[in-house]
């Protein structure tokens, strides 16, 4: 394809995307396809004769789009908001168009330095001190794995340079709660700590926040038993009910015992753009690493996960590789992001943050987050005030966990009832929500915060929910 052909096809694609986004509301929220339906609609072998960009666009519309669950749809309340703002999409397109290679500062100085700048902008915008320096990772899962590798090497006094974990005399222990994201467990296992050395600390039964007192006792027990506490992962906005572990109290324990504290704020980090929400991670300055995803609620198109550390020297010491072909004369003066994580090559991801903050601006982003907090409170109030409905966890942010509990319906029957009405809504394509298990019983997580979701959509959702849940019963 020549640049001239690209120009023509590119304009058509952009027009198509703009129409697609404008008309999103007319599509079903959840993909209405059966397993293998998309796969079977495609040729089983790669095309041998070239196809036009126009034909590709037809196929995109006809064959691909039906297989998309529309997370940009205003009636999407599943999992978490995964906003892909159009401003950041432009930055992503620019990044692709430039075709850069990030493997060293020299391979694209702008890639490195824009990343430094936007990470520092976001540091300031979330109220973090100058002690933090950041980079962009693909996901919070990668950030958590990186953090636990840093913890492992600190706790083991650089076992990687000796016999590795296999020669370390004391088993190293990781602490988190059952509310933590599955990526925390996965990271602990991949980093070699082993399931036996993973402690799920007791939580407050209502808020689901880690009980610092229990952490303190468990750490003391482990030390007495000759084990080495290595890391605590605190959830700031947990996956299930968006619970907030008490970071300040946890940090105090971690600091006292030299335990690495990683703060997983993947979802709720966006809220820290609002000064009035920052009490939710009070004490965060004493952590060792923080990650959060602008690609969730804030709306900088996936993938864009921020990872901040205080001790950059330690980070680089653990992650550094320095093959001869990547060395240059300015190495002492510049940042090498390949030493900040696992991959060598990186995309110019900083451009999407740069575009997002440049075009939409922080004021409009903050206004939208505040709108969503308002909508969440309003929705929770409606549910609380309605007969036979319950809000099951504190609504500190934008996740509202609810259940319809008609009189006399309990246990398995209640589970069946919950799943029946939720599935009916999800199947209808009118709205989408994630059912989830809390204390052994199914409930419904309503995650509010899609860019296009207004109060009118929340009102429609509440109407829909009541119709589907109460219809057959009353
Ligand atoms: C979404 C989420 C993650 C995982 O994020 P990825 O970027 O998809 O890896 C981890 N922790 C929490 C609390 C989350 O909400």
């Amino acid at each position: 394809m020549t640049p001239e052909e690209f120009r023509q096809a590119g304009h058509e694609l952009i027009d198509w995307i703009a129409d697609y986004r404008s008309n999103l509301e007319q599509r079903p929220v959840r993909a209405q396809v059966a397993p293998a339906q998309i796969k079977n609609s495609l040729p089983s072998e790669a095309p041998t004769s070239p196809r036009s960009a126009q034909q590709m666009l037809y196929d995109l519309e006809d064959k691909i789009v039906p297989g998309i669950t529309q997370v940009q749809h205003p009636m999407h309340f599943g999992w978490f908001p995964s906003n892909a703002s159009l401003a950041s999409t432009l930055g992503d397109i620019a990044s692709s168009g430039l075709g850069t290679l990030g493997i060293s500062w020299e391979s694209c100085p702008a890639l490195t330095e824009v990343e430094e700048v936007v990470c520092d902008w976001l540091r300031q915008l979330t109220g973090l001190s100058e002690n933090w320096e950041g980079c962009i990772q693909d996901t919070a899962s990668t950030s958590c794995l990186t953090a636990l590798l840093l913890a492992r090497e600190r706790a083991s006094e650089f076992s990687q340079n000796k016999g590795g974990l296999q020669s370390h005399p004391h088993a190293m222990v990781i602490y988190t709660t059952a509310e933590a994201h599955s990526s925390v467990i996965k990271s602990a296992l991949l980093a070699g700590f082993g399931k036996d050395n993973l402690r799920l600390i007791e939580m407050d039964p209502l808020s689901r926040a880690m009980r610092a007192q229990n952490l303190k006792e468990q750490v003391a027990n482990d030390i007495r038993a000759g084990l080495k506490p290595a890391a605590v992962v605190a959830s700031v906005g947990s996956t299930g009910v968006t619970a907030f572990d008490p970071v300040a109290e946890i940090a105090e324990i971690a600091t006292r015992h030299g335990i690495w504290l990683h703060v997983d704020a993947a979802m709720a980090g966006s809220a820290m753009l609002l000064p009035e929400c920052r009490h939710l991670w009070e004490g965060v300055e004493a952590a060792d690493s923080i990650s959060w995803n602008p690609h969730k609620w804030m709306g900088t198109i996936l993938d864009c996960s921020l990872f901040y550390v205080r001790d950059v020297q330690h980070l680089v010491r653990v992650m550094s590789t320095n093959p001869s072909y990547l060395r240059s004369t300015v190495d002492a003066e510049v940042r090498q992001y390949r030493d900040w994580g696992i991959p060598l090559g990186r995309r110019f991801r900083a451009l999407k943050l740069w575009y997002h903050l440049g075009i939409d601006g922080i004021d409009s982003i903050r206004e939208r987050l505040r709108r969503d907090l308002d909508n969440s409170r309003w929705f929770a109030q409606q549910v609380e005030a309605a007969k036979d409905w319950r809000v099951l966890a504190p609504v500190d942010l934008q996740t509202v966990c609810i259940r319809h509990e008609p009189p006399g319906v309990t246990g398995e029957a209640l589970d069946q009832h919950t799943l029946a009405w939720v599935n009916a809504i999800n199947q209808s394509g009118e709205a989408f929500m994630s059912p989830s298990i809390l204390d052994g019983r199914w409930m419904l997580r309503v995650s509010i915060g899609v860019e296009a979701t207004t109060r009118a959509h929340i009102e429609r959702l509440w109407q829909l929910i009541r119709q589907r849940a109460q219809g057959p019963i009353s």
Side-chain angles (χ1 to χ4, degrees):
M1 176 172 254
T2 65
E4 270 318 310
E5 288 163 344
F6 176 83
R7 186 192 311 280
Q8 162 101 30
H11 280 300
E12 280 168 23
L13 180 61
I14 296 282
D15 277 344
W16 182 87
I17 293 172
D19 289 341
Y20 175 75
R21 291 292 192 104
S22 314
N23 300 323
L24 211 56
E25 204 161 347
Q26 290 150 27
R27 297 184 187 270
V29 187
R30 192 175 75 180
Q32 307 280 303
V33 294
Q37 191 177 324
I38 302 291
K39 201 162 54 179
N40 293 339
S41 75
L42 303 176
S44 57
E45 285 171 18
T48 45
S49 52
R51 310 183 67 232
S52 69
Q54 188 69 56
Q55 283 169 317
M56 297 302 289
L57 198 49
Y58 286 143
D59 280 0
L60 187 66
E61 167 84 50
D62 288 351
K63 299 189 168 163
I64 307 299
V65 170
I68 297 176
T69 291
Q70 303 294 348
V71 296
Q72 310 306 324
H73 194 295
M75 295 298 280
H76 168 72
F77 302 96
W79 311 301
F80 49 81
S82 182
N83 289 316
S85 66
L86 287 169
S88 68
T89 303
L90 279 182
D92 212 27
I93 292 171
S95 165
S96 297
L98 291 171
T100 53
L101 171 65
I103 53 174
S104 66
W105 178 86
E106 195 177 35
S107 75
C108 186
L111 183 152
T112 302
E113 295 186 11
V114 178
E115 187 162 330
E116 281 182 60
V117 168
V118 293
C119 288
D120 198 60
W121 286 355
L122 267 307
R123 174 191 68 74
Q124 296 171 48
L125 289 172
T126 49
L128 293 173
S129 77
E130 286 179 355
N131 295 333
W132 297 95
E133 290 186 73
C135 64
I136 306 176
Q137 304 273 4
D138 53 1
T139 60
S141 302
T142 302
S143 298
C144 187
L145 175 59
T146 306
L148 291 190
L149 294 173
L150 298 178
R152 185 188 75 192
E153 291 310 302
R154 192 166 85 180
S156 68
E157 290 159 5
F158 281 91
S159 65
Q160 68 179 20
N161 284 346
K162 299 170 272 179
L165 271 193
Q166 308 191 68
S167 70
H168 193 71
H170 308 286
M172 290 179 271
V173 186
I174 305 291
Y175 306 84
T176 191
T177 71
E179 263 287 312
H181 190 266
S182 56
S183 61
V184 177
I185 316 293
K186 186 171 174 176
S187 297
L189 301 187
L190 290 178
F193 291 100
K195 210 168 207 158
D196 294 348
N197 302 308
L198 181 67
R199 306 274 185 268
L200 300 180
I201 302 298
E202 211 173 290
M203 302 174 287
D204 178 273
L206 186 66
S207 71
R208 317 228 132 217
M210 184 189 288
R211 280 184 158 154
Q213 183 58 30
N214 290 77
L215 173 68
K216 197 167 156 184
E217 287 162 16
Q218 186 63 55
V219 166
N221 286 346
D222 287 333
I223 292 173
R224 263 199 302 278
L227 307 177
K228 173 82 184 158
V232 187
V233 180
S235 304
V236 165
S238 68
T239 306
V241 304
T242 315
F244 292 84
D245 288 340
V247 177
E249 289 171 66
I250 294 169
E252 201 188 308
I253 299 163
T255 307
R256 191 177 321 135
H257 297 284
I259 304 171
W260 189 279
L261 172 55
H262 177 63
V263 170
D264 175 13
M267 163 61 214
S270 298
M272 304 311 160
L273 296 167
L274 305 177
E276 67 268 30
C277 288
R278 289 185 198 147
H279 65 95
L280 292 168
W281 74 358
E282 202 197 319
V284 72
E285 284 292 326
D288 295 283
S289 52
I290 304 171
S291 75
W292 72 275
N293 291 351
H295 72 222
K296 285 184 167 173
W297 195 14
M298 176 178 163
T300 310
I301 187 170
L302 210 151
D303 51 354
C304 186
S305 179
L306 293 170
F307 181 57
Y308 291 94
V309 293
R310 282 193 299 144
D311 187 349
V312 174
Q313 259 189 330
H314 177 71
L315 170 74
V316 170
R317 189 170 164 207
V318 175
M319 295 286 158
S320 174
T321 50
N322 200 15
S324 55
Y325 68 94
L326 290 178
R327 289 181 207 153
S328 84
T329 51
V330 295
D331 281 354
E333 299 157 59
V334 298
R335 181 167 289 185
Q336 302 292 3
Y337 271 129
R338 67 172 182 272
D339 296 339
W340 284 57
I342 297 163
L344 168 60
R346 65 205 294 115
R347 277 165 49 76
F348 204 156
R349 281 187 294 232
L351 281 182
K352 47 195 171 189
L353 273 170
W354 192 59
Y355 259 76
H356 191 193
L357 289 167
I359 293 178
D360 282 353
I362 189 61
D363 287 346
S364 81
I365 295 170
R366 283 179 167 147
E367 206 175 301
R368 170 167 59 80
L369 300 180
R370 289 192 174 108
R371 174 202 68 179
D372 297 339
L373 290 173
D374 253 15
N375 282 343
S376 308
R377 279 190 289 265
W378 180 85
F379 178 68
Q381 280 162 9
Q382 307 311 303
V383 177
E384 257 161 6
K387 192 167 163 289
D388 302 335
W389 284 89
R390 269 180 69 203
V391 175
L392 302 165
V395 182
D396 289 318
L397 224 55
Q398 46 57 261
T399 310
V400 188
C401 298
I402 65 170
R403 191 157 51 218
H404 181 231
E405 300 181 347
V409 183
T410 56
E412 298 270 304
L414 184 58
D415 276 350
Q416 276 171 20
H417 171 62
T418 304
L419 291 175
W421 68 260
V422 177
N423 289 336
I425 292 177
N426 287 349
Q427 268 160 28
S428 75
E430 288 178 86
F432 181 80
M433 293 159 285
S434 315
S436 167
I437 293 176
L438 183 70
D439 292 330
R441 282 272 91 86
W442 284 97
M443 56 99 182
L444 188 64
R445 275 174 86 254
V446 179
S447 179
I448 293 171
V450 172
E451 200 176 3
T453 304
T454 63
R455 176 63 62 84
H457 295 104
I458 310 280
E459 287 169 5
R460 199 155 95 222
L461 176 74
W462 178 223
Q463 197 179 22
L464 198 62
I465 286 178
R466 273 176 305 171
Q467 274 168 7
R468 295 281 180 168
Q470 296 172 339
I473 283 168
S474 52

